[in-house]
């Protein structure tokens, strides 16, 4: 299986950020709507497996399928962009306003996709309201209430808990993005991306785009959750946590440890091409 070194991955992430910023608004919106819906598909698949087997870990093992689809199709997921776009900004390939506009548009598209799938899934699983909620629907209701009302009951501590779970979640999600770039083959991308997503979902961390489907679906199915509960006690703190996790634990470490170091070494090489010390450092960097 082919393998790209971390220095190559860091450069690829910066280029991916530049490419995202060059996309037309229409393309960003279409691709982000698809991503939001596909994560909804993955969530109901995971919950179906959980209810059928009684083992949540089985559902967690299957959930990454939706993430892998998004990676292979080149779609837009705001949580992944939380690491990729800041790296392009740190490398002075864009400005803060362009990054913000892109993130807001992708966030909106992910939200629309999640809502679309929530509406269609709820109609289908209840036969347009003619049947009682099945095991998966009941689990969605329970999770929607847990992801909002439980945090609300703890006040500020609950908000901070949602935030930290968002940080931990996107540390792994953006690691999945990174590992997806560690290979140029479909098989390599699938295998490499699967593990971090399995880790976050299996531990119940909070993903903003997953919740764009899960909580609205719970509300439609009868969860005792209001619009304010959804946004104040989950969507906003989780989104902010995802943002911080992507920048703090993926974008910054990769940029300063791999890409910026490589650039500095290259600049020194140009200035002192005959230096044996520099040549040795470059060789060590290539094999690190």
């Amino acid at each position: 299986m082919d393998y790209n070194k971390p220095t190559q991955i860091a450069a690829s992430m910066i280029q991916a950020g530049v490419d995202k910023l060059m996309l037309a608004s229409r393309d960003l919106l279409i691709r982000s709507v698809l991503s939001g819906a596909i994560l909804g598909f993955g969530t109901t698949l995971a919950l179906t497996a959980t209810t059928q087997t009684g083992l949540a870990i089985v559902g967690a093992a299957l959930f990454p399928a939706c993430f892998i689809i998004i990676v292979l199709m080149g779609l837009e997921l705001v949580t992944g962009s939380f690491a990729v776009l800041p790296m392009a900004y740190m490398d002075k390939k864009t400005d803060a306003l362009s990054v913000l506009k892109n993130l807001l548009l992708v966030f909106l598209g992910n939200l629309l996709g999640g809502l679309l799938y929530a509406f269609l899934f709820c109609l289908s699983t209840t036969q347009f309201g003619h049947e009682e909620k099945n095991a998966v629907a009941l689990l969605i209701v329970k999770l929607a209430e847990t992801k909002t009302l439980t945090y609300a009951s703890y006040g500020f501590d609950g908000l901070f808990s949602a935030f930290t779970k968002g940080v931990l979640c996107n540390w792994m999600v953006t690691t999945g993005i990174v590992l997806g770039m560690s290979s140029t083959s479909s098989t390599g991308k699938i295998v490499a991306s699967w593990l971090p997503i399995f880790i976050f979902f299996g531990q119940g961390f909070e993903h903003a785009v997953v919740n764009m489907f899960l909580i609205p679906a719970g509300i439609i199915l009868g969860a005792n959750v209001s619009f304010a509960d959804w946004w104040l006690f989950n969507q906003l703190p989780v989104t902010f946590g995802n943002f911080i996790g992507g920048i703090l634990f993926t974008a910054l470490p990769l940029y300063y440890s791999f890409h910026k170091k490589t650039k500095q070494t290259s600049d020194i090489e140009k200035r002192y091409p005959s230096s044996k010390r520099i040549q040795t450092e470059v060789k060590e960097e290539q094999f690190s």
Side-chain angles (χ1 to χ4, degrees):
M1 185 168 61
D2 61 316
Y3 171 67
N4 294 324
K5 297 176 182 178
T7 50
Q8 295 171 302
I9 296 171
S12 295
M13 290 184 71
I14 292 170
Q15 184 58 50
V18 173
D19 293 342
K20 288 176 182 292
L21 291 164
M22 293 177 65
L23 286 173
S25 297
R26 178 199 61 189
D27 295 333
L28 279 174
L29 193 59
I30 292 172
R31 297 179 192 188
S32 56
V33 168
L34 291 174
S35 287
I38 289 170
L39 277 195
F41 274 99
T43 303
T44 52
L45 171 65
L47 297 182
T48 299
T50 298
T51 58
Q52 289 178 347
T53 65
L55 298 171
I57 199 69
V58 175
L62 293 175
F63 175 78
C66 64
F67 180 81
I68 291 167
I69 291 171
I70 290 170
V71 169
L72 294 180
M73 289 184 66
L75 302 180
E76 294 295 322
L77 193 63
V78 72
T79 46
S81 295
F82 284 161
V84 173
L85 295 188
M87 287 188 70
Y89 173 77
M90 286 185 283
D91 207 47
K92 299 180 180 179
K93 296 292 194 299
T94 186
D95 57 89
L97 183 59
S98 298
V99 170
L100 180 61
K101 288 180 178 178
N102 186 286
L103 291 176
L104 288 175
L105 187 57
V106 174
F107 181 90
L108 175 62
N110 288 164
L111 177 61
L112 292 175
L115 292 173
L116 174 64
Y117 183 67
F119 178 71
L120 294 176
F121 175 81
C122 292
L123 288 179
S124 65
T125 197
T126 62
Q127 302 294 335
F128 278 66
H130 291 292
E131 293 186 1
E132 294 294 323
K133 293 186 282 289
N134 59 24
V136 174
L138 290 172
L139 183 54
I140 289 174
V141 170
K142 179 182 178 181
L143 289 172
E145 293 177 346
T146 300
K147 286 176 171 288
T148 54
L149 303 181
T150 299
Y151 294 138
S153 67
Y154 294 119
F156 177 79
D157 290 345
L159 287 173
F160 192 69
S161 177
F163 167 78
T164 55
K165 287 182 180 180
V167 171
L168 293 171
C169 169
N170 217 34
W171 188 348
M172 286 295 97
V173 170
T174 51
T175 299
I177 295 291
V178 171
L179 293 184
M181 294 183 178
S182 68
S183 173
T184 56
S185 71
S186 296
T187 302
K189 289 179 179 292
I190 291 170
V191 174
S193 297
W194 173 83
L195 185 57
I197 308 306
F198 168 62
I199 291 172
F200 107 72
F201 200 86
Q203 296 184 81
F205 295 145
E206 295 284 357
H207 190 274
V209 183
V210 169
N211 293 340
M212 289 174 183
F213 155 75
L214 189 60
I215 298 176
I219 293 173
I220 295 171
L221 292 168
N224 185 29
V225 176
S226 67
F227 182 86
D229 292 332
W230 167 24
W231 282 87
L232 293 178
F233 298 109
N234 186 289
Q235 200 66 59
L236 291 177
V238 168
T239 299
F240 187 57
N242 288 167
F243 178 70
I244 296 300
I247 291 179
L248 192 61
F249 295 112
T250 299
L252 285 171
L254 285 179
Y255 183 79
Y256 284 103
S257 181
F258 293 108
H259 186 71
K260 190 172 183 180
K261 182 179 178 181
T262 303
K263 287 180 64 178
Q264 290 172 339
T265 302
S266 178
D267 291 341
I268 295 173
E269 270 194 286
K270 291 177 182 178
R271 292 174 62 187
Y272 307 103
S274 62
S275 171
K276 292 183 179 180
R277 178 179 63 83
I278 297 303
Q279 291 173 4
T280 301
E281 290 179 356
V282 171
K283 182 176 288 187
E284 289 175 351
E285 171 65 20
Q286 290 174 340
F287 288 95
S288 62

